[in-house]
Amino acid sequence: MDFFENLSDEKSQIRERITCLFNNDLLSDVSFVVRSSCGKKDAKRAKMAIPAHKFLLSIYSPVFYAMFCGEMAEKSNTIDLPDCEYEGILEMLRYMYSNTVELHGGNVLQVLYVAKKYILPSLAQKCVVFLTRNLDLANVLCVLSHAQKYDEKNLVDRCWEMIESETEEVVKSEDFVKIDKSLLEAMVKRATLTISEVELFRAVDLWATEECKRQGVHASGKVKRRILGEQIVKNIQFPVMEEKDFTSTVIDSNILTRTEVRELLRNFNGTLSSSAGFPDKGRVGFSWSSSRFTSFSSCSCEPEDWSYEGSRDYDSLVLDAIVLQVDKDIMLRGIRFFGCLKNTNYLDSLKIIDKENGTQMLSLEDMSFSPVSLPYREEEIRGYDVVFDPVILRKNADYVVKSLTDGPEPCFGCGGVNVIQSHGVTFTFKAYKSTNRENGNETEVDSGQFSSFFFKPL
C-alpha cells in the first residue's frame, strides 16, 4: 500500500504514476547489471543493478520488444550489459519513465551510445543538441569521433568547423594524442586548418611518440614513420615551411628519409623545382570572425513561398549590404549566409567594393557553395557558406559587401554589434546607405545577412 499512499490524488495522470516506478524495485520484472561509472576506482562498485519493467521498455524500444517479446525472448530476469555504464542506462530509463533526461559532460556520450543501441531517436537527438551547444576546444575531438561513429552529419560538420578555426589550440588538447589514426589522417588532409605547417608537424610527431608508448615500442624515426603511414606523412606540406623550421625540427625527428630531406633542402635552396612528392600549395587556413549576431530569427514562411518583404533593388531582387572595415590587412576567403541552397538561384550576385575608388573585387564565377546548419533553440537554421578566391582587404579602408538574392525568405541575424574582435583582427561594421538606383537595404548593423566572415590575417 505504500506505493499508492505515496502517489496521492495529485498524481492522477498515468505518466506521473509511471514516473514513480523509475529505478524502483516495486513491480519490477527485470534487472540490468551494468558497469559502474566509477568501477575502476572502487572495485566494490564495479557492477550495479538497475530495476526496470519489461512492458514499459518494450513499448518504447524495438530492441527491448524483440528482447522480451520476440521468438528468442530473454527468459532471465537479470540481464548483464557489459558494454554499458550505469549512468548511461540510468538516464535512458529516466527518459523512458518520465520523458526527462539529466545530461552533463560526464554522461552524455554514454547516453548517446545506449540511445543508438536501443533505437531511441528522440533521446539521441537530445544528446546531439546538448553536444552541439557544449562543444569546446577540450572535447571537440572526442565528440567528433562519436559523431562520425553514429553518422550525425550536422554535429560532424560543427566539429570540423571548430577544428579548422582553432587548429593550433585543438592539437594542444589532451585528447589530441589519443585520437585514432584515421582521424589524424583526416586532419592532415584538410586544406583549411589554421596552423603553421611546422606546428602541425610537431603535433603529428607527438602523436606518433605517444602511439609508440601505447604499443610498447621504441620511438625511433623509422618506427614513427611506419606507425604514421604514408597517407599522413605525405600530406604534410614540408615545402611551405621556413627552411630554419625544417632543419631545426623536421630533420632531427628522423621521420623523413635521407632522400626526402636532401630533395626538400634542394627545393628550399632553389636548385630543385619539384616538391619531393609533398604538397606545396599551402593550406587555405581560413577562420571566421565571431558571428556578428547574438541571436537568430527563424523565418515563418513555407520554403516554396517568396516572402522576403521589404525594399528591393532596381532588378526586383532583394538587396543586402553592409560596410566593413578591419584594423589589419586580411585575406578574405568567404562569407556565411542565411538561406537554403536547394534554390540554386538564391544568390544572384555578391560583390565586394572598395568604397574609396569603387573597384569591384569579386565575381560570382569564382565562388563555391556549401550548405551549413546553425543551432537555434531546439531547431536548425539553414545557411550556406560562399567561398571564393582570396580578396585582400587593407586595414582602415572601407569596403561594401553587397549581395542580391531571389528566393524563399531566409532566417536572419539579430542583436548585431558594430565591433567584433577575432583572431587578433578588429572588424568594424557600418550601415550602408542605398543609392538612387536601389530601393532600400535589408541588412543593418544590428540585423540581417552576412552571419560570419572567413578570413586569414596577413
Side-chain angles (χ1 to χ4, degrees):
M1 294 297 293
D2 290 341
F3 174 67
F4 290 97
E5 291 174 359
N6 291 334
L7 286 178
S8 75
D9 291 338
E10 294 179 1
K11 297 180 179 178
S12 59
Q13 298 298 317
I14 186 66
R15 170 61 67 186
E16 294 173 321
R17 293 175 180 267
I18 291 175
T19 299
C20 290
L21 293 175
F22 166 64
N23 201 19
N24 193 328
D25 286 320
L26 186 67
L27 302 179
S28 171
D29 54 1
V30 67
S31 180
F32 295 110
V33 179
V34 295
R35 289 182 290 120
S36 169
S37 300
C38 58
K40 294 181 181 179
K41 298 180 180 179
D42 186 353
K44 293 182 180 180
R45 298 185 64 202
K47 288 189 176 182
M48 301 180 70
I50 307 176
H53 304 79
K54 292 180 180 179
F55 170 74
L56 182 65
L57 272 57
S58 297
I59 64 175
Y60 257 95
S61 162
V63 177
F64 282 127
Y65 179 83
M67 182 184 296
F68 299 130
C69 307
E71 294 182 0
M72 303 293 290
E74 178 65 52
K75 303 300 182 182
S76 174
N77 291 335
T78 301
I79 299 176
D80 193 15
L81 301 177
D83 59 327
C84 300
E85 292 192 9
Y86 175 79
E87 285 199 40
I89 293 295
L90 186 70
E91 291 308 317
M92 178 190 71
L93 294 177
R94 187 194 307 277
Y95 184 73
M96 287 178 163
Y97 282 75
S98 67
N99 203 35
T100 62
V101 61
E102 297 177 4
L103 297 175
H104 55 74
N107 71 11
V108 62
L109 292 176
Q110 301 168 33
V111 179
L112 178 59
Y113 172 73
V114 296
K116 291 289 187 176
K117 177 179 180 178
Y118 295 107
I119 313 181
L120 299 168
S122 60
L123 178 58
Q125 182 59 27
K126 286 185 178 293
C127 294
V128 170
V129 170
F130 179 92
L131 288 168
T132 302
R133 293 178 175 175
N134 292 275
L135 198 63
D136 58 36
L137 298 176
N139 66 21
V140 63
L141 292 170
C142 180
V143 172
L144 174 58
S145 64
H146 285 80
Q148 290 175 326
K149 178 180 178 181
Y150 300 126
D151 197 27
E152 293 289 344
K153 185 179 183 305
N154 288 340
L155 183 56
V156 168
D157 291 344
R158 200 69 46 75
C159 289
W160 278 122
E161 287 178 358
M162 180 172 290
I163 291 170
E164 289 174 338
S165 67
E166 302 285 354
T167 312
E168 194 162 347
E169 294 303 316
V170 169
V171 300
K172 294 177 182 177
S173 68
E174 293 183 4
D175 281 345
F176 175 76
V177 294
K178 304 173 187 175
I179 63 175
D180 291 338
K181 178 180 175 179
S182 59
L183 180 52
L184 179 64
E185 184 177 312
M187 284 186 64
V188 299
K189 287 182 176 181
R190 297 185 85 87
T192 49
L193 301 181
T194 50
I195 188 173
S196 68
E197 209 63 26
V198 68
E199 289 300 326
L200 178 61
F201 174 79
R202 288 191 179 107
V204 169
D205 188 23
L206 177 60
W207 181 92
T209 301
E210 292 299 316
E211 182 63 19
C212 286
K213 292 179 183 179
R214 287 189 285 269
Q215 295 185 19
V217 296
H218 176 61
S220 66
K222 187 176 182 179
V223 172
K224 287 191 285 188
R225 175 69 174 254
R226 173 179 59 79
I227 286 175
L228 288 170
E230 296 306 292
Q231 287 298 313
I232 291 177
V233 176
K234 287 295 186 178
N235 276 282
I236 298 176
Q237 302 191 14
F238 296 105
V240 306
M241 293 182 182
E242 296 289 336
E243 184 177 359
K244 60 181 179 61
D245 291 331
F246 178 80
T247 55
S248 64
T249 301
V250 179
I251 293 179
D252 289 344
S253 73
N254 294 317
I255 288 177
L256 297 183
T257 66
R258 291 182 179 180
T259 299
E260 289 168 338
V261 169
R262 182 170 60 252
E263 291 185 358
L264 284 167
L265 287 174
R266 291 175 62 192
N267 178 270
F268 287 127
N269 296 328
T271 59
L272 181 68
S273 58
S274 71
S275 59
F278 296 97
D280 59 356
K281 294 182 179 180
R283 299 182 192 273
V284 176
F286 64 74
S287 56
W288 53 89
S289 69
S290 300
S291 173
R292 68 189 193 92
F293 301 119
T294 58
S295 63
F296 302 140
S297 178
S298 58
C299 56
S300 58
C301 66
E302 294 298 324
E304 63 271 15
D305 297 331
W306 169 259
S307 59
Y308 198 167
E309 298 178 354
S311 302
R312 297 164 180 249
D313 85 323
Y314 56 92
D315 285 327
S316 298
L317 298 172
V318 174
L319 169 70
D320 290 283
I322 198 165
V323 179
L324 167 65
Q325 183 184 103
V326 290
D327 69 339
K328 295 179 181 177
D329 293 347
I330 68 169
M331 180 173 66
L332 188 66
R333 293 301 308 264
I335 299 174
R336 175 164 292 174
F337 282 77
F338 300 108
C340 180
L341 282 179
K342 290 182 179 179
N343 186 327
T344 56
N345 295 322
Y346 196 94
L347 184 64
D348 187 78
S349 73
L350 173 62
K351 300 177 182 178
I352 298 177
I353 303 168
D354 188 323
K355 194 174 182 183
E356 182 177 354
N357 55 35
T359 302
Q360 181 174 321
M361 309 170 67
L362 191 64
S363 64
L364 199 63
E365 291 75 19
D366 299 327
M367 304 176 196
S368 63
F369 304 83
S370 59
V372 295
S373 295
L374 310 175
Y376 177 68
R377 296 178 182 172
E378 298 298 325
E379 59 181 301
E380 295 284 333
I381 284 182
R382 292 177 295 182
Y384 59 95
D385 292 338
V386 181
V387 179
F388 39 77
D389 290 339
V391 173
I392 305 301
L393 304 187
R394 298 300 180 184
K395 65 178 182 180
N396 301 327
D398 284 345
Y399 297 91
V400 178
V401 181
K402 182 186 296 187
S403 69
L404 295 174
T405 53
D406 184 6
E409 178 191 15
C411 303
F412 58 90
C414 303
V417 294
N418 66 328
V419 177
I420 294 172
Q421 291 185 335
S422 178
H423 300 276
V425 178
T426 299
F427 288 72
T428 301
F429 299 98
K430 307 173 187 177
Y432 171 78
K433 296 182 179 179
S434 303
T435 66
N436 292 334
R437 297 184 64 193
E438 299 167 342
N439 297 321
N441 172 23
E442 290 293 324
T443 289
E444 301 291 343
V445 171
D446 62 348
S447 63
Q449 274 285 10
F450 314 124
S451 172
S452 303
F453 292 83
F454 300 84
F455 73 99
K456 180 179 180 181
L458 292 179

